[in-house]
Amino acid sequence: MHLNIPGNNIAGEIPGEGLANLSQLVTLNIAHNRFNGFIPSQLFSLKKLQFLALGFNLIEGTISREVGNLSLAGLYLEKNFMEGKIPIEMGNLNLLQRLVLSRNKFSGKVPLSLSNLTHLEELLLGDNMLTGEIFPLVQNMSKLGRLDLANNSFNGTIPEWLFDLENLKVLYIGENHLSLKNLDKAPRCEFQALSLPSCNISGHMPLWLCKHTQLTLLDLRDNHLKGTIPVCLAEIKLFGILLSGNKLAGSIPPCLFNNRKLYNLWLGRNKFTGPLPNTVGNASALRVLTLGGNNFCGQITESISSLSQLLLLDLSENSFSGDFMSTTFSPNSSLAFVDLSSNRLTGPVPMTFSASIEVLILGQNEFSGALPQNLTS
C-alpha cells in the first residue's frame, strides 16, 4: 500500500509495468532520486493512489490527461524537466490538497478547471513559464496556506482579497508582471513568509508587519518603497530581510543586528545614510550582507570582522572612508566574496581576509602604497 524510497540515488526509468501490479498502492514516493524518462501511463491506472511524489528527479515530458482519473490528495512533481501545459483534467482532482509543480518548464495559461480545487492547501507553481491571469482561479481556495507563483509570466493586479485568506501563511508571487498598489491594508492572515519582489509596490513599509511575529522571510526587493525601516521589525526574529532596490532612507536601526537568527540582509540600492552601527557584529548567523549603492559614510565598523559565518559582503558605491586594514577577519573565515569598491577608503590595500576568498573587488578607492606580498597567496 505504501512504497517510500526517496533519497536513494536510484537511476533509470520508472518501472511502469511493475508498479501497475501494485493495485492497492496508496502512497508512491520516489522523490530525490535520479529517475529519468517519462511518467509511465500505468501509474494513472492505480485507482487507490492518493499520494504521488516524483519531485527532484530528471523526469521529462508532459503531464498526461489521464491524471484526472486518479483520486489524489497530494501531487508533487517539482524540480524536474517537465514541460507543456497543465492539463484541463487536473481540475477533476477535487480532493487534491497539495499541488506542487514548481521548478519545471510548464508553459501556457493555467486552466480554468483548477478553480474546482477548493480543498487545496498548497499551490506551488513557481519557477515555470506560465502566463495569463491567475487570481480568479485562486479566489475560491479558502484553505490555501502556501501559494507560490514566483518567477513566471503571470500578469494583472494582485487583488486585495488575497490578503483576506485567513489560512495563508506563505506567499511567493514576485518576479512576474503583477502589480500591487501598496501594502496599507492589514491582512487577516498571519504570514510566516512574504515575498513580493518586483510588484510595483509604493508607499511606506507597513507597520502591520510588526504584528506578524511568526514571520521568518520578508522579501520586498525592487519595488518603490520609501521612508525608513520600522524599528519594530527588529523585534521579529526574521531569517531574511530583502529590501534592496527601493527608495528607503535614514539609518539602519542598530537593534536590527541583535537578531541572532538573521541569515540574509539585503539593503542595497536604496538611499540609506549615516555610519554603520557598531552592533553589526551581533548578528552572528549572518551569511549575506549587501549594502551597496547607498549613502553610508564614516569608517566601516570593526565589528563586521566578528561575523564568522559571513560568505558575502557588499559595501560598494557608498561614501565609507578611513583605513580598512584594522578590520581583520579570522584565518578560518568563511568569507568568499568582498566588494568594497567605489568608496573613499584610504591607506594600504587591505589583505586582512582569509586566503580562501574567491572574489575581492577594491577598485575606485584611495588606497596607496605597494601591493602587499601576501596577495600572491
Side-chain angles (χ1 to χ4, degrees), residues 12-305:
E13 296 187 358
I14 300 171
E17 291 185 9
L19 290 172
N21 295 328
L22 304 178
S23 58
Q24 303 300 308
L25 202 61
V26 174
T27 300
L28 176 61
N29 183 356
I30 60 172
H32 293 273
N33 283 290
R34 291 191 294 125
F35 286 107
N36 58 22
F38 305 99
I39 299 176
S41 59
Q42 293 92 333
L43 283 186
F44 302 109
S45 65
L46 298 173
K47 300 297 183 182
K48 295 188 177 182
L49 195 63
Q50 297 178 16
F51 181 94
L52 178 59
L54 309 179
F56 293 90
N57 279 289
L58 306 171
I59 300 169
E60 303 174 79
T62 60
I63 300 176
S64 170
R65 297 172 63 179
E66 294 179 276
V67 70
N69 299 334
L70 299 175
S71 300
L72 292 175
L75 176 59
Y76 297 80
L77 301 177
E78 73 273 30
K79 190 62 173 65
N80 280 291
F81 296 95
M82 301 190 69
E83 58 188 4
K85 294 184 177 182
I86 299 173
I88 296 174
E89 290 76 10
M90 189 80 79
N92 297 339
L93 303 175
N94 54 16
L95 299 177
L96 199 62
Q97 297 175 10
R98 292 172 176 82
L99 177 59
V100 184
L101 306 179
S102 47
R103 302 174 73 181
N104 279 284
K105 299 178 182 179
F106 294 116
S107 58
K109 294 183 178 181
V110 179
L112 290 172
S113 61
L114 255 64
S115 61
N116 298 332
L117 307 181
T118 56
H119 293 285
L120 271 185
E121 298 173 10
E122 292 186 10
L123 177 60
L124 309 184
L125 304 177
D127 294 284
N128 281 290
M129 297 181 285
L130 299 167
T131 60
E133 290 196 34
I134 183 68
F135 295 110
L137 310 182
V138 179
Q139 192 159 8
N140 294 327
M141 300 177 184
S142 59
K143 297 181 179 180
L144 267 185
R146 293 171 56 91
L147 177 62
D148 179 5
L149 307 174
N151 293 303
N152 281 284
S153 295
F154 292 120
N155 57 50
T157 302
I158 300 170
E160 286 190 2
W161 58 255
L162 183 64
F163 297 92
D164 290 332
L165 298 176
E166 293 185 8
N167 295 304
L168 194 61
K169 297 184 183 302
V170 177
L171 179 61
Y172 293 83
I173 55 177
E175 309 291 351
N176 281 286
H177 305 299
L178 299 168
S179 61
L180 177 64
K181 184 178 179 181
N182 55 55
L183 285 168
D184 292 344
K185 182 183 177 182
R188 297 175 65 183
C189 57
E190 183 163 350
F191 285 114
Q192 295 175 357
L194 179 62
S195 178
L196 299 169
S198 302
C199 287
N200 292 309
I201 305 170
S202 57
H204 288 78
M205 289 276 293
L207 291 177
W208 56 255
L209 285 168
C210 301
K211 297 181 180 179
H212 291 235
T213 56
Q214 302 301 311
L215 194 66
T216 59
L217 171 67
L218 177 63
D219 183 357
L220 300 175
R221 289 170 294 142
D222 298 307
N223 283 292
H224 309 289
L225 294 168
K226 60 184 180 180
T228 59
I229 297 178
V231 174
C232 58
L233 267 188
E235 298 174 5
I236 305 173
K237 300 305 180 185
L238 285 154
F239 286 36
I241 302 176
L242 284 63
L243 300 174
S244 54
N246 281 285
K247 301 174 182 178
L248 297 168
S251 57
I252 303 177
C255 55
L256 194 66
F257 295 101
N258 292 332
N259 177 4
R260 298 185 183 276
K261 293 183 179 180
L262 188 60
Y263 194 87
N264 287 332
L265 182 59
W266 297 15
L267 300 179
R269 294 179 290 114
N270 278 286
K271 298 181 178 181
F272 291 114
T273 57
L276 286 187
N278 292 328
T279 53
V280 170
N282 295 345
S284 55
L286 207 58
R287 296 291 184 91
V288 177
L289 177 60
T290 65
L291 304 176
N294 283 286
N295 296 308
F296 291 113
C297 62
Q299 286 200 315
I300 298 171
T301 173
E302 294 181 26
S303 68
I304 281 183
S305 61

